[in-house]
Amino acid sequence: MSIDTETCKHQPVYFGVVNINIDERTIGSVDVWRCGVCKKKFCEEKQLGIEEIAETVGMPKIDPDAKWGVTICKLQQGKYKWKLVKLKENGEIKHECLDEKVIPLKINNFKIEDEKHWSFLIDDNVNKAVEI
């Protein structure tokens, strides 16, 4: 018997972390929580040095056809620009790039297709450090 992740009364427990590193120095992390009942994952972004409250407080929701990922902007190397995002298999996401300009980024097979940006999936990197 499978449990419907949309009607489940989630009981999240800490599952792991993905550290975001530059030159082996951690600049942030993504905490990963998993429901003990239905196994759905929830993620929370932690950027070191950023003291603003996150856009979403608590366990953010994600569509059943999306996966948690991190986008990295190669154009902002001095600022180490990365962000936790919800990636669909195909489509587009909006990305705040240089000078706070919002641009569309094409997604194919849960990955960004762009020379100046890249992404990785949280599921593939739980309890690992990713160099950006």
Side-chain angles (χ1 to χ4, degrees):
M1 181 171 97
S2 67
I3 297 168
D4 182 7
T5 60
E6 298 310 306
T7 59
C8 177
K9 293 185 182 193
H10 298 301
Q11 299 174 17
V13 294
Y14 192 74
F15 186 67
V17 66
V18 177
N19 282 339
I20 311 295
N21 289 0
I22 293 180
D23 298 326
E24 298 181 7
R25 183 177 59 89
T26 301
I27 62 162
S29 63
V30 175
D31 285 335
V32 184
W33 301 78
R34 188 172 79 166
C35 176
V37 178
C38 70
K39 309 303 182 211
K40 184 172 182 169
K41 291 188 185 99
F42 305 91
C43 292
E44 197 173 28
E45 174 182 304
K46 307 277 186 181
Q47 293 206 29
L48 297 180
I50 305 290
E51 296 177 5
E52 302 164 0
I53 295 176
E55 293 173 18
T56 308
V57 177
M59 296 294 154
K61 295 189 185 308
I62 189 168
D63 292 338
D65 62 340
K67 294 184 180 185
W68 291 106
V70 169
T71 58
I72 296 98
C73 183
K74 295 178 185 178
L75 298 173
Q76 300 189 32
Q77 290 180 354
K79 294 182 181 178
Y80 311 129
K81 188 76 170 188
W82 67 275
K83 185 157 184 69
L84 178 67
V85 294
K86 302 167 188 177
L87 297 172
K88 298 226 175 175
E89 186 170 9
N90 297 301
E92 224 177 57
I93 62 168
K94 302 291 183 199
H95 166 72
E96 189 178 300
C97 207
L98 292 173
D99 300 324
E100 298 179 1
K101 181 181 175 187
V102 177
I103 62 168
L105 294 174
K106 189 173 180 77
I107 307 299
N108 186 18
N109 195 26
F110 298 102
K111 291 188 179 185
I112 290 177
E113 288 189 336
D114 187 86
E115 291 178 3
K116 298 172 183 136
H117 302 85
W118 66 282
S119 63
F120 64 87
L121 293 176
I122 293 297
D123 283 345
D124 298 339
N125 293 284
V126 175
N127 293 325
K128 295 180 183 173
V130 177
E131 283 286 329
I132 63 171

